Amino acid sequence: KYVATEARALKSLRSLTIEAQFGLKDLGVTYHGGEGFLLRREFLCKHGTMIRSGAGSTAKAECLASGISGISGHTHRLAPYRREGYRSLQWNEAGTLSRLDPPYMPGKPDWSNGMILGYFGRNSWRVEEVHAENGKLVYGGRSF
């Protein structure tokens, strides 16, 4: 943001892009920017920009704003929102694998350790929450 707003003369330098700064091409990573990408016609993956109070509230806002199912990680919470009806929708806040007591934040943030696992078949998909306990991921009754 700084380059775009305060140092416009540097904006044309390709070495200052996010892709170049993190060496994403060498790592085989495709950068999609803030809007995310459609993993499927009806499933959006994005970082997210919304924050709502309480686990699941941001998932609901993202789902209703996009009109499709998806995942986002902006809140660092691990929570779903589901809407049934003529067309079922689901959005998941994807949790975080970082510390829950970051030194740069006052107090204790409302975050959840864990991640989302996704399964995508030809005509169906599902996502599952994987919680972390005592520094280990717990899935299927096993700790990793």
Side-chain angles (χ1 to χ4, degrees):
K1 288 183 178 180
Y2 175 81
V3 171
T5 60
E6 305 295 327
R8 289 188 180 104
L10 300 176
K11 192 174 181 179
S12 65
L13 297 176
R14 287 187 296 256
S15 63
L16 293 181
T17 65
I18 289 175
E19 298 93 318
Q21 289 291 304
F22 291 99
L24 299 182
K25 184 177 179 183
D26 295 337
L27 296 171
V29 174
T30 302
Y31 178 70
H32 292 281
E35 295 303 312
F37 64 96
L38 286 172
L39 185 61
R40 296 273 174 99
R41 186 172 57 87
E42 294 287 325
F43 195 92
L44 178 62
C45 299
K46 63 189 270 187
H47 177 268
T49 55
M50 298 182 186
I51 294 280
R52 300 291 185 272
S53 179
S57 298
T58 301
K60 178 179 181 180
E62 291 279 14
C63 187
L64 296 178
S66 66
I68 62 175
S69 297
I71 59 172
S72 57
H74 185 60
T75 66
H76 292 209
R77 296 184 195 123
L78 192 60
Y81 167 75
R82 290 178 187 86
R83 185 177 127 201
E84 300 299 329
Y86 291 109
R87 188 168 141 235
S88 297
L89 299 174
Q90 178 176 330
W91 197 280
N92 285 77
E93 297 173 46
T96 183
L97 296 175
S98 66
R99 293 174 53 162
L100 297 180
D101 62 343
Y104 57 85
M105 287 187 73
K108 186 169 169 57
D110 181 20
W111 296 353
S112 304
N113 272 144
M115 63 182 217
I116 297 293
L117 265 182
Y119 300 91
F120 294 85
R122 185 187 264 358
N123 297 312
S124 65
W125 60 268
R126 78 173 197 271
V127 295
E128 297 178 13
E129 294 179 4
V130 179
H131 294 265
E133 297 172 9
N134 301 318
K136 295 187 181 249
L137 293 169
V138 179
Y139 183 73
R142 296 177 56 197
S143 292
F144 300 91

